Amino acid sequence: MRLSELKPGQTGVITKILGHGAFRKRVMEMGFVKDREVSVVLNAPLQDPVKYALMDYEVSLRRAEADLVEVQLLEEWVKARVHLDAHTEEHEEAELLDIRKDKIINVALIGNPNCGKTSLFNQVSGAREHVGNYAGVTVGAKEGFINYKGYLLKIVDLPGTYSLSAYSPEELYVMRYLREETPDVIVNVVVASNLERNLYLTTELIDMNRSMVIDLNMFDELKKSGSKLDYKLLGKMLGVPMVPTVAASGKGISDLLDTVIEVYEMRSSDTRHIHIQMNPEIEKAIRILIDCFKQDRSISHHFSPRFLAIKFLEKDPEVEEMLRPYPGYDKWCAIRDTQNNLIEKALHEDTVSAIAAEKYGFIQGALAETFDGGEAKEEKSTKIIDTFVTNKLFGFPLFLAIMWLMFWATFQLGSYPMEWIESLVSWISGTIGEYMSDGPLKDLILDGIIGGVGGVIVFLPNILILYTFISFMEDSGYMARVAFIMDKLMHKMGLHGKSFIPLVMGFGCNVPAIMSTRIIESKSSRLITILINPFMSCSARIPIYVLLVGCFFPHYGAWVFVGLYTLGIAVAIITARLMRKFWMKDDETPFVMELPPYRLPTFKATMRNMWSKAEQYLKKMGGLILVASIIIWALSYFPRYDEKDIPNTFRTETLKEMSPERISELGEAKVNDLILNEYQQSHSILGGIGRFVEPVVSPMEFGWKPCVSLIAGSAAKEVVVSTLGVLYVGEDDADLLSDRLQTPSKITGETPFTPQSALSYMVFVLLYFPCIATLAAIARETGSWKYSLFSIVYNTALAWIFAFITFKIAMLF
């Protein structure tokens, strides 16, 4: 029978993997190997994908992929298990004498996704990299340094990978890093409570014959479960010293660094090179290929011959590409194919399956002697929570409720500290205005710097609240469940379940969200996810929403927020469907994704993440937005005019817009000042640009000033608000931008925005072309600027269409 035929609660034993290529390799690396027990936990709300449990962890597969796995019911399966011991080899004397004497140690952190590498990196280096409880947080190598006991340790945090096979961008990155950089010591980070799955990567690193230390991270979870691990004995069996740590709290970090130095200096008694002995037929093939490779010493310059032989047998594309230039390549391929045929005839399974099964058999045998398992409270809690979070009745409503709560808190709770900052900015502006003499410098400080930067900095609390919610969903493990319940809907969109994680990350910032698409194996799904990510309303747009919602929809703030975000998601769905249908062919990839146990984020980690975002926001205020505000002010301030420069036609047309009562009320001097100010702004450099582009957005009644602010938003979306703050200074006597946007012009008697135009404006901001940083990220991740150009044209055209429709519908009410 097939794995897809098992019902929730049933347990089967894997007998064969029928799939091919990347799917086959991936599922075997994650534990779906012959003779392995696997249980059905539950179906997703829409009955697809399905959550399975094996090797004390949970993973989800679509039914289409589960149909490629043959199983037998546990009751029907009777078979003796074979445990194979490892053959060990001590270091040769020459290796022991080759000791480095310098004091700089290059350390690479390698481990499965979500094993805690980045937490360890933060603890050791003092960095503040983002940590999330789901796969794919680390999307590139990060470097940090620490001086420790006379040594300078350079720490490199590599992307999470389940193996050293070149089937995903992360695996390829790690493989090439190990080949090109050759770190002095590898710290293999494994989850102490999930050793069987994590140690598969360890066996591949052992094949490489590199200096290594195993970090038993989250050791506190193993203790809480009541499990016992003789990690010293296990380390001796593996030939690699093991150090228990709790990276989140820093416990055991000093012992880990001490062990790194011991291994580097070759003083560790636990360090020895072992061979994970496999079936004689496989060992024979490996030995033949090793003898071939040893004929050219340059081949094993970066990788051990045994590692290369095993990967070559598995037809790893990166190893094949590395060996292709050598003159004996065709001969080696013929030998490899012959040996693979012999292995398959002898073992009745293909070489890749046989090697994976042998390695898991070795791991299982080693743990049988050193590990006494239990069930962690966290695992029980995870099962209880998942009964609600992934339930077909409660899953979707719960997710929508969380999203609504996030937007409500962002707008409502953030309004209180926002008012305090507004008051502070108003006081600073009033004080400077009172004591400084009139002139360009005063105008620059009040209108350019305070009007621009001050108008944006008030939204810092809203940004922090949004990031707190997103961070909590990531760190707790809930984000992976959202991907699980959303997979079928994403699949109908022509995307992958994993695409949902970058899309939700886009609510924070589109740039790291686009970078995180590297977790998606399918090239077409990855490209579509990149191109629709800008429709996810990033935190930089929040100041615009909060400003206009607070002015025109104060009692419906959360609903307007939800509506805007929902519209962005809907447009992303429509775009994805169109791209999949007319542009890119179907590129089906398996939905294989780890579902980590729920973990309560630590207060320290939450505060660190909040401060990191606050720091980024403040740096942007003091850098990009400050410069942009000054430039906008200068463009709106120059050239300078006086009354004699104003044409009579302009003066006549302006007076026509003012009622006789208003003219009489203001007086001749005030009217002349208003006419001069209006002429100054509309005929400045910026005014000329705005009036040139204004006809494009005139159907939505934006006016040239909002139009200019949209253009300025290309630098960063927060600049939209700072530009409005600069341009609407002087419109009236109000200190706050929100008041100025609601106060009628003394000339026309109309407010800069109406509720209808404000709603249309927010829709335009939601959908139009992304900022320069996002465009650069699109070009970098796709390898071509043509996709960035497509994003500019397509997104802006959609923005105009939806903004126009929104305006016309709003006018009906």
Short mmCIF file of all heavy atoms in Angstrom, two decimals, residues 625-659:
data_model
loop_
_atom_site.label_atom_id
_atom_site.label_comp_id
_atom_site.label_asym_id
_atom_site.label_seq_id
_atom_site.Cartn_x
_atom_site.Cartn_y
_atom_site.Cartn_z
N ILE A 625 16.10 59.00 5.15
CA ILE A 625 14.93 59.89 5.21
C ILE A 625 15.34 61.33 5.51
O ILE A 625 14.74 62.27 4.98
CB ILE A 625 13.93 59.36 6.26
CG1 ILE A 625 13.36 58.02 5.76
CG2 ILE A 625 12.81 60.35 6.53
CD1 ILE A 625 12.43 57.35 6.72
N LEU A 626 16.37 61.52 6.33
CA LEU A 626 16.87 62.88 6.58
C LEU A 626 17.38 63.50 5.29
O LEU A 626 17.03 64.65 4.96
CB LEU A 626 17.99 62.83 7.63
CG LEU A 626 18.71 64.16 7.89
CD1 LEU A 626 17.73 65.21 8.41
CD2 LEU A 626 19.86 63.97 8.86
N VAL A 627 18.20 62.76 4.56
CA VAL A 627 18.73 63.28 3.29
C VAL A 627 17.60 63.54 2.30
O VAL A 627 17.56 64.60 1.65
CB VAL A 627 19.75 62.28 2.70
CG1 VAL A 627 20.17 62.71 1.30
CG2 VAL A 627 20.96 62.15 3.61
N ALA A 628 16.66 62.58 2.20
CA ALA A 628 15.54 62.75 1.28
C ALA A 628 14.69 63.97 1.66
O ALA A 628 14.25 64.73 0.78
CB ALA A 628 14.68 61.49 1.27
N SER A 629 14.47 64.18 2.96
CA SER A 629 13.67 65.33 3.41
C SER A 629 14.35 66.65 3.05
O SER A 629 13.69 67.60 2.62
CB SER A 629 13.45 65.25 4.92
OG SER A 629 12.71 64.10 5.27
N ILE A 630 15.66 66.70 3.23
CA ILE A 630 16.40 67.93 2.89
C ILE A 630 16.35 68.18 1.39
O ILE A 630 16.15 69.33 0.94
CB ILE A 630 17.86 67.81 3.38
CG1 ILE A 630 17.90 67.79 4.92
CG2 ILE A 630 18.70 68.97 2.85
CD1 ILE A 630 19.28 67.53 5.50
N ILE A 631 16.50 67.12 0.59
CA ILE A 631 16.43 67.28 -0.87
C ILE A 631 15.04 67.74 -1.29
O ILE A 631 14.90 68.66 -2.12
CB ILE A 631 16.80 65.95 -1.56
CG1 ILE A 631 18.29 65.63 -1.33
CG2 ILE A 631 16.50 66.03 -3.06
CD1 ILE A 631 18.70 64.27 -1.85
N ILE A 632 14.00 67.13 -0.71
CA ILE A 632 12.62 67.52 -1.04
C ILE A 632 12.39 68.97 -0.66
O ILE A 632 11.78 69.75 -1.43
CB ILE A 632 11.61 66.60 -0.32
CG1 ILE A 632 11.71 65.15 -0.83
CG2 ILE A 632 10.20 67.13 -0.48
CD1 ILE A 632 11.34 64.98 -2.28
N TRP A 633 12.88 69.35 0.52
CA TRP A 633 12.71 70.75 0.94
C TRP A 633 13.41 71.69 -0.02
O TRP A 633 12.84 72.72 -0.42
CB TRP A 633 13.29 70.92 2.35
CG TRP A 633 13.32 72.36 2.79
CD1 TRP A 633 12.30 73.09 3.33
CD2 TRP A 633 14.43 73.26 2.67
NE1 TRP A 633 12.70 74.39 3.56
CE2 TRP A 633 14.01 74.52 3.16
CE3 TRP A 633 15.73 73.13 2.19
CZ2 TRP A 633 14.85 75.63 3.20
CZ3 TRP A 633 16.57 74.23 2.22
CH2 TRP A 633 16.13 75.47 2.72
N ALA A 634 14.64 71.36 -0.41
CA ALA A 634 15.40 72.23 -1.32
C ALA A 634 14.70 72.35 -2.67
O ALA A 634 14.62 73.44 -3.24
CB ALA A 634 16.82 71.68 -1.49
N LEU A 635 14.19 71.24 -3.16
CA LEU A 635 13.50 71.27 -4.46
C LEU A 635 12.21 72.07 -4.39
O LEU A 635 11.77 72.65 -5.39
CB LEU A 635 13.21 69.84 -4.93
CG LEU A 635 14.41 68.98 -5.31
CD1 LEU A 635 13.97 67.56 -5.65
CD2 LEU A 635 15.18 69.59 -6.48
N SER A 636 11.58 72.10 -3.21
CA SER A 636 10.34 72.87 -3.06
C SER A 636 10.61 74.32 -2.65
O SER A 636 9.72 75.17 -2.74
CB SER A 636 9.44 72.21 -2.01
OG SER A 636 10.03 72.27 -0.72
N TYR A 637 11.84 74.62 -2.21
CA TYR A 637 12.19 75.96 -1.70
C TYR A 637 12.78 76.84 -2.79
O TYR A 637 12.68 78.07 -2.73
CB TYR A 637 13.18 75.80 -0.56
CG TYR A 637 13.39 77.04 0.28
CD1 TYR A 637 12.45 77.42 1.24
CD2 TYR A 637 14.52 77.84 0.12
CE1 TYR A 637 12.64 78.55 2.02
CE2 TYR A 637 14.73 78.97 0.89
CZ TYR A 637 13.78 79.33 1.85
OH TYR A 637 13.97 80.46 2.62
N PHE A 638 13.41 76.20 -3.77
CA PHE A 638 14.10 76.95 -4.83
C PHE A 638 13.44 76.66 -6.19
O PHE A 638 12.91 75.56 -6.40
CB PHE A 638 15.58 76.58 -4.87
CG PHE A 638 16.33 76.95 -3.62
CD1 PHE A 638 16.67 75.97 -2.70
CD2 PHE A 638 16.68 78.27 -3.36
CE1 PHE A 638 17.35 76.28 -1.54
CE2 PHE A 638 17.38 78.59 -2.19
CZ PHE A 638 17.71 77.60 -1.28
N PRO A 639 13.48 77.64 -7.11
CA PRO A 639 14.02 79.01 -6.93
C PRO A 639 13.07 79.88 -6.11
O PRO A 639 11.88 79.60 -6.03
CB PRO A 639 14.12 79.51 -8.38
CG PRO A 639 13.06 78.75 -9.12
CD PRO A 639 13.02 77.39 -8.47
N ARG A 640 13.62 80.94 -5.51
CA ARG A 640 12.84 81.83 -4.67
C ARG A 640 12.17 82.91 -5.52
O ARG A 640 12.72 83.40 -6.50
CB ARG A 640 13.72 82.51 -3.61
CG ARG A 640 14.44 81.54 -2.69
CD ARG A 640 13.46 80.67 -1.93
NE ARG A 640 12.65 81.46 -1.01
CZ ARG A 640 11.56 81.00 -0.41
NH1 ARG A 640 11.10 79.78 -0.70
NH2 ARG A 640 10.90 81.77 0.42
N TYR A 641 10.95 83.28 -5.13
CA TYR A 641 10.20 84.33 -5.83
C TYR A 641 9.75 85.38 -4.83
O TYR A 641 9.67 85.13 -3.63
CB TYR A 641 8.96 83.72 -6.52
CG TYR A 641 9.28 82.66 -7.55
CD1 TYR A 641 9.20 81.29 -7.23
CD2 TYR A 641 9.64 83.01 -8.85
CE1 TYR A 641 9.48 80.32 -8.17
CE2 TYR A 641 9.92 82.04 -9.81
CZ TYR A 641 9.84 80.70 -9.46
OH TYR A 641 10.11 79.73 -10.39
N ASP A 642 9.45 86.60 -5.37
CA ASP A 642 8.79 87.62 -4.55
C ASP A 642 7.54 88.08 -5.30
O ASP A 642 7.23 87.59 -6.38
CB ASP A 642 9.72 88.78 -4.22
CG ASP A 642 10.35 89.40 -5.47
OD1 ASP A 642 9.67 89.42 -6.53
OD2 ASP A 642 11.51 89.83 -5.40
N GLU A 643 6.84 89.03 -4.73
CA GLU A 643 5.53 89.40 -5.26
C GLU A 643 5.58 89.90 -6.70
O GLU A 643 4.68 89.66 -7.50
CB GLU A 643 4.89 90.47 -4.36
CG GLU A 643 4.40 89.92 -3.04
CD GLU A 643 3.51 90.92 -2.31
OE1 GLU A 643 3.00 91.85 -2.96
OE2 GLU A 643 3.33 90.75 -1.10
N LYS A 644 6.67 90.59 -7.05
CA LYS A 644 6.74 91.14 -8.41
C LYS A 644 6.93 90.06 -9.46
O LYS A 644 6.70 90.31 -10.66
CB LYS A 644 7.87 92.17 -8.50
CG LYS A 644 9.27 91.60 -8.40
CD LYS A 644 10.30 92.72 -8.57
CE LYS A 644 11.73 92.20 -8.60
NZ LYS A 644 12.12 91.52 -7.37
N ASP A 645 7.33 88.85 -9.04
CA ASP A 645 7.53 87.74 -9.99
C ASP A 645 6.22 87.02 -10.33
O ASP A 645 6.18 86.18 -11.25
CB ASP A 645 8.52 86.72 -9.44
CG ASP A 645 9.90 87.31 -9.23
OD1 ASP A 645 10.33 88.10 -10.08
OD2 ASP A 645 10.54 86.97 -8.20
N ILE A 646 5.17 87.29 -9.56
CA ILE A 646 3.91 86.56 -9.76
C ILE A 646 3.15 87.17 -10.92
O ILE A 646 2.81 88.37 -10.90
CB ILE A 646 3.04 86.63 -8.48
CG1 ILE A 646 3.81 86.06 -7.28
CG2 ILE A 646 1.74 85.86 -8.69
CD1 ILE A 646 3.07 86.18 -5.97
N PRO A 647 2.85 86.40 -11.97
CA PRO A 647 2.07 86.93 -13.10
C PRO A 647 0.66 87.32 -12.66
O PRO A 647 0.09 86.72 -11.75
CB PRO A 647 2.03 85.76 -14.09
CG PRO A 647 3.14 84.85 -13.68
CD PRO A 647 3.26 85.01 -12.19
N ASN A 648 0.11 88.31 -13.33
CA ASN A 648 -1.24 88.75 -12.99
C ASN A 648 -2.28 87.67 -13.23
O ASN A 648 -3.27 87.57 -12.51
CB ASN A 648 -1.60 90.00 -13.82
CG ASN A 648 -0.82 91.22 -13.36
OD1 ASN A 648 -0.47 91.33 -12.18
ND2 ASN A 648 -0.53 92.14 -14.29
N THR A 649 -2.03 86.84 -14.26
CA THR A 649 -2.99 85.77 -14.54
C THR A 649 -3.07 84.78 -13.39
O THR A 649 -4.17 84.32 -13.03
CB THR A 649 -2.57 85.01 -15.82
OG1 THR A 649 -1.21 84.58 -15.69
CG2 THR A 649 -2.70 85.91 -17.05
N PHE A 650 -1.90 84.47 -12.79
CA PHE A 650 -1.88 83.54 -11.66
C PHE A 650 -2.61 84.15 -10.46
O PHE A 650 -3.39 83.47 -9.78
CB PHE A 650 -0.44 83.18 -11.26
CG PHE A 650 -0.34 82.21 -10.13
CD1 PHE A 650 -0.37 80.84 -10.37
CD2 PHE A 650 -0.23 82.64 -8.80
CE1 PHE A 650 -0.29 79.93 -9.32
CE2 PHE A 650 -0.15 81.74 -7.76
CZ PHE A 650 -0.18 80.37 -8.02
N ARG A 651 -2.35 85.48 -10.25
CA ARG A 651 -2.99 86.14 -9.11
C ARG A 651 -4.50 86.18 -9.32
O ARG A 651 -5.27 85.92 -8.39
CB ARG A 651 -2.43 87.56 -8.98
CG ARG A 651 -2.91 88.32 -7.73
CD ARG A 651 -2.41 89.76 -7.76
NE ARG A 651 -0.96 89.80 -7.78
CZ ARG A 651 -0.21 89.75 -6.67
NH1 ARG A 651 -0.78 89.65 -5.49
NH2 ARG A 651 1.11 89.80 -6.76
N THR A 652 -4.92 86.45 -10.55
CA THR A 652 -6.36 86.53 -10.83
C THR A 652 -7.04 85.18 -10.65
O THR A 652 -8.12 85.08 -10.04
CB THR A 652 -6.58 87.03 -12.27
OG1 THR A 652 -5.94 88.30 -12.43
CG2 THR A 652 -8.06 87.18 -12.58
N GLU A 653 -6.41 84.11 -11.17
CA GLU A 653 -6.99 82.78 -11.07
C GLU A 653 -7.08 82.33 -9.61
O GLU A 653 -8.06 81.69 -9.20
CB GLU A 653 -6.15 81.77 -11.87
CG GLU A 653 -6.24 81.95 -13.37
CD GLU A 653 -7.64 81.74 -13.89
OE1 GLU A 653 -8.36 80.86 -13.35
OE2 GLU A 653 -8.05 82.46 -14.83
N THR A 654 -6.07 82.69 -8.82
CA THR A 654 -6.07 82.29 -7.41
C THR A 654 -7.17 83.02 -6.65
O THR A 654 -7.87 82.43 -5.82
CB THR A 654 -4.70 82.59 -6.77
OG1 THR A 654 -3.67 81.94 -7.52
CG2 THR A 654 -4.67 82.10 -5.33
N LEU A 655 -7.34 84.32 -6.93
CA LEU A 655 -8.38 85.09 -6.24
C LEU A 655 -9.77 84.58 -6.60
O LEU A 655 -10.69 84.64 -5.78
CB LEU A 655 -8.25 86.58 -6.61
CG LEU A 655 -7.04 87.31 -5.99
CD1 LEU A 655 -6.91 88.71 -6.55
CD2 LEU A 655 -7.18 87.37 -4.46
N LYS A 656 -9.91 84.05 -7.84
CA LYS A 656 -11.21 83.51 -8.24
C LYS A 656 -11.59 82.30 -7.39
O LYS A 656 -12.77 82.03 -7.17
CB LYS A 656 -11.19 83.12 -9.71
CG LYS A 656 -11.26 84.30 -10.68
CD LYS A 656 -11.28 83.80 -12.12
CE LYS A 656 -11.36 84.97 -13.10
NZ LYS A 656 -11.34 84.48 -14.50
N GLU A 657 -10.56 81.56 -6.94
CA GLU A 657 -10.82 80.37 -6.13
C GLU A 657 -11.23 80.72 -4.70
O GLU A 657 -11.75 79.87 -3.98
CB GLU A 657 -9.57 79.47 -6.10
CG GLU A 657 -9.21 78.90 -7.46
CD GLU A 657 -7.95 78.04 -7.38
OE1 GLU A 657 -7.39 77.91 -6.27
OE2 GLU A 657 -7.53 77.49 -8.42
N MET A 658 -10.98 81.96 -4.27
CA MET A 658 -11.30 82.39 -2.92
C MET A 658 -12.61 83.18 -2.91
O MET A 658 -12.85 84.02 -3.78
CB MET A 658 -10.17 83.26 -2.36
CG MET A 658 -8.81 82.57 -2.35
SD MET A 658 -7.49 83.66 -1.75
CE MET A 658 -7.95 83.84 -0.03
N SER A 659 -13.43 82.90 -1.93
CA SER A 659 -14.71 83.62 -1.82
C SER A 659 -14.46 85.02 -1.29
O SER A 659 -13.46 85.27 -0.59
CB SER A 659 -15.64 82.87 -0.87
OG SER A 659 -15.09 82.84 0.44
#
